[in-house]
Amino acid sequence: MKHRSSLLYAVLPAMPMLLAACGGATATGSGNTALLATSVAAPATPATVELAGNAFITSAETGAIINEQGLAGWSNPAAIASTYFRVAEAGPVQVALDASLADGGNSTIRVKINGTPFDVKLAGKARKTYAVGTVNVAAAGYVKVDLQGLSRVKGTFGDVPALKVTAGAALNYANDPANYYWSRRGPSVHMGYTVPANTEYFYNEMTIPKGHDAIGSYFMANGFGQGYMGIQVKSPSERWILFSVWDADNGAKTTLVSKGAGVVDNAFGGEGTGGQTYLSYNWAAGTTYRFITRARPDGKGGSDYSAWFFAPETGKWRYIATWKRPAISTYLTGVHSFLENFIDTLGYTERRVQFGNQWARNVSGTWSEVTAGRYTGDATASNAQRMDYAGGLENGKFYLRNGGFFADVVKTGQNFTRPATGQAPGVDVAALPMQ
């Protein structure tokens, strides 16, 4: 989960369309030469959409990168760099691009604006603005601009730091360079649950729809004030069941009490520090998995946190681990789920998850169904650096969605109530394995 300060954000005002050429370049669209040199008395200033925070290499793994300067090292004709920005309403959108060729010479590149192709000739070492073309966008939402090299006389097709975009509506895109890493990862979204006081166990069921299990996804089922449990897609060949607990607020270290068979434990850092355990398990999209977390005071000023995972493929509960966190005496608080992407280069991929049939068990042994959820987002969402996020109710379950630059954003800060199932967990918590 993201822990950082709020991002800078400003919505750019609506701007009139610019039909004049930007830098005198020529471009062709659909085989015709665009009329890019007309007379306009007072052209609008186009918005500068930096590729460093808004672009991804979406085809080919080598021969092009997105770095702090934008598109660089661009030598592979199979590489496609895709840049995204959002328009607030339908209408014409004009695109130009800033580019240079560090090694001199010239090149021809193809620029597709929402699929409409324009061929642009680049030349010279100096950074210049090259006109591309204008398309009519049919509805509010994200515009995708693809760059692909066609021909070059030297080593690269060019370096492209930014697009210049002029539109008749407000634009949204990542505009805070200090947080481009986070904007490229994409917005994280959360579903917070209202549970009774002294909740010792929390039970949740989670399903990732087929086709929404992109690499870099963390589908977090059972979060609480001091840690979280869920499943990740680490690579094309590896998937994890993950359970982590933060170190104490005073810096005292969380320690491992015990762990299940095949579970790996280590310390984690980066976004805070704590103890981490994971089980490599090839979970599958389209299958519903079950999760239980437990928290209880240890009577010595600390608290013990435990986690279990149930897979229908095996038909039994798997013990993940128990962690002891010092300097706190608590049951489960701040219970929630979340969805995030943890690989910034894959922030253009979409993911989706459903959560259903949540239950809480208090220290007296009473199960209570949890039907209230509050949908929220992180700073990337709340500051509109990205607007491809959604959450709410779906087929009687809570759902979260992010990434992929989809159009139908759902405003955060909303409360939802799912229909009760009345189906309490059929699990004897006293019989849950501890090894």
Side-chain angles (χ1 to χ4, degrees):
M1 185 181 292
K2 302 178 182 180
H3 299 272
R4 64 196 194 283
S5 61
S6 294
L7 304 175
L8 168 70
Y9 172 68
V11 176
L12 296 173
M15 296 173 289
M17 282 303 303
L18 173 62
L19 297 179
C22 300
T26 60
T28 57
S30 303
N32 298 316
T33 300
L35 298 177
L36 298 173
T38 64
S39 59
V40 174
T45 301
T48 300
V49 180
E50 295 187 8
L51 271 66
N54 299 278
F56 305 84
I57 304 302
T58 56
S59 179
E61 296 181 355
T62 60
I65 61 170
I66 303 295
N67 61 21
E68 293 180 353
Q69 286 72 47
L71 174 59
W74 185 17
S75 61
N76 185 355
I80 296 175
S82 301
T83 306
Y84 302 84
F85 57 87
R86 191 179 194 277
V87 293
E89 60 186 48
V93 173
Q94 179 179 332
V95 174
L97 58 86
D98 285 351
S100 63
L101 286 90
D103 52 8
N106 59 74
S107 68
T108 300
I109 66 171
R110 176 154 294 165
V111 183
K112 290 185 178 179
I113 309 172
N114 276 359
T116 299
F118 300 87
D119 292 348
V120 181
K121 296 183 182 300
L122 309 180
K125 293 183 178 181
R127 175 171 169 172
K128 292 181 284 188
T129 300
Y130 297 83
V132 177
T134 300
V135 300
N136 190 61
V137 176
Y142 274 97
V143 175
K144 180 183 180 185
V145 179
D146 290 333
L147 306 180
Q148 185 170 16
L150 297 181
S151 64
R152 52 185 169 81
V153 298
K154 292 194 175 181
T156 70
F157 293 103
D159 297 324
V160 183
L163 301 182
K164 295 295 181 66
V165 180
T166 307
L171 299 176
N172 290 90
Y173 54 89
N175 62 356
D176 179 11
N179 285 288
Y180 278 166
Y181 165 76
W182 296 103
S183 60
R184 292 184 76 233
R185 274 179 54 162
S188 294
V189 281
H190 330 107
M191 190 65 68
Y193 306 113
T194 302
V195 301
N198 297 325
T199 291
E200 184 177 0
Y201 293 88
F202 179 68
Y203 169 92
N204 198 2
E205 298 177 3
M206 182 168 69
T207 309
I208 294 90
K210 291 182 178 180
H212 291 271
D213 53 342
I215 296 171
S217 299
Y218 188 6
F219 305 98
M220 201 286 294
N222 290 21
F224 46 93
Q226 298 76 39
Y228 42 75
M229 179 195 191
I231 60 181
Q232 292 184 335
V233 187
K234 300 295 289 185
S235 72
S237 60
E238 187 172 16
R239 299 181 176 219
W240 285 5
I241 314 301
L242 184 70
F243 174 50
S244 299
V245 178
W246 303 104
D247 288 333
D249 293 338
N250 65 5
K253 295 297 184 182
T254 294
T255 57
L256 183 68
V257 176
S258 62
K259 63 180 181 179
V263 173
V264 177
D265 68 281
N266 53 43
F268 71 85
E271 299 176 46
T273 62
Q276 176 191 82
T277 40
Y278 67 88
L279 173 69
S280 290
Y281 183 83
N282 192 29
W283 57 266
T287 300
T288 298
Y289 297 97
R290 302 157 66 186
F291 303 82
I292 291 177
T293 45
R294 180 192 192 189
R296 63 173 178 174
D298 65 4
K300 301 177 182 179
S303 296
D304 292 332
Y305 301 86
S306 303
W308 294 266
F309 165 74
F310 184 93
E313 296 95 341
T314 64
K316 61 183 180 181
W317 287 97
R318 292 282 299 269
Y319 175 54
I320 304 301
T322 296
W323 288 96
K324 183 179 292 293
R325 190 178 195 261
I328 191 170
S329 181
T330 185
Y331 293 99
L332 289 171
T333 60
V335 179
H336 65 284
S337 302
F338 70 71
L339 172 63
E340 74 172 9
N341 164 51
F342 55 86
I343 301 177
D344 63 320
T345 57
L346 296 177
Y348 64 93
T349 54
E350 184 179 341
R351 45 197 54 78
R352 192 182 190 113
V353 60
Q354 296 177 337
F355 307 99
N357 201 33
Q358 295 83 8
W359 289 77
R361 186 181 189 270
N362 65 15
V363 294
S364 300
T366 301
W367 286 103
S368 300
E369 189 164 8
V370 178
T371 58
R374 181 166 178 79
Y375 159 61
T376 59
D378 70 349
T380 299
S382 62
N383 291 288
Q385 298 293 291
R386 290 276 292 266
M387 295 184 68
D388 48 345
Y389 54 87
L393 288 178
E394 183 176 73
N395 301 322
K397 299 179 180 180
F398 299 113
Y399 85 95
L400 297 172
R401 179 188 182 193
N402 70 0
F405 296 98
F406 55 84
D408 46 342
V409 60
V410 176
K411 182 181 177 181
T412 58
Q414 298 189 60
N415 296 320
F416 296 92
T417 301
R418 68 168 178 82
T421 67
Q423 299 173 358
V427 55
D428 179 2
V429 295
L432 287 171
M434 294 297 292
Q435 59 182 13

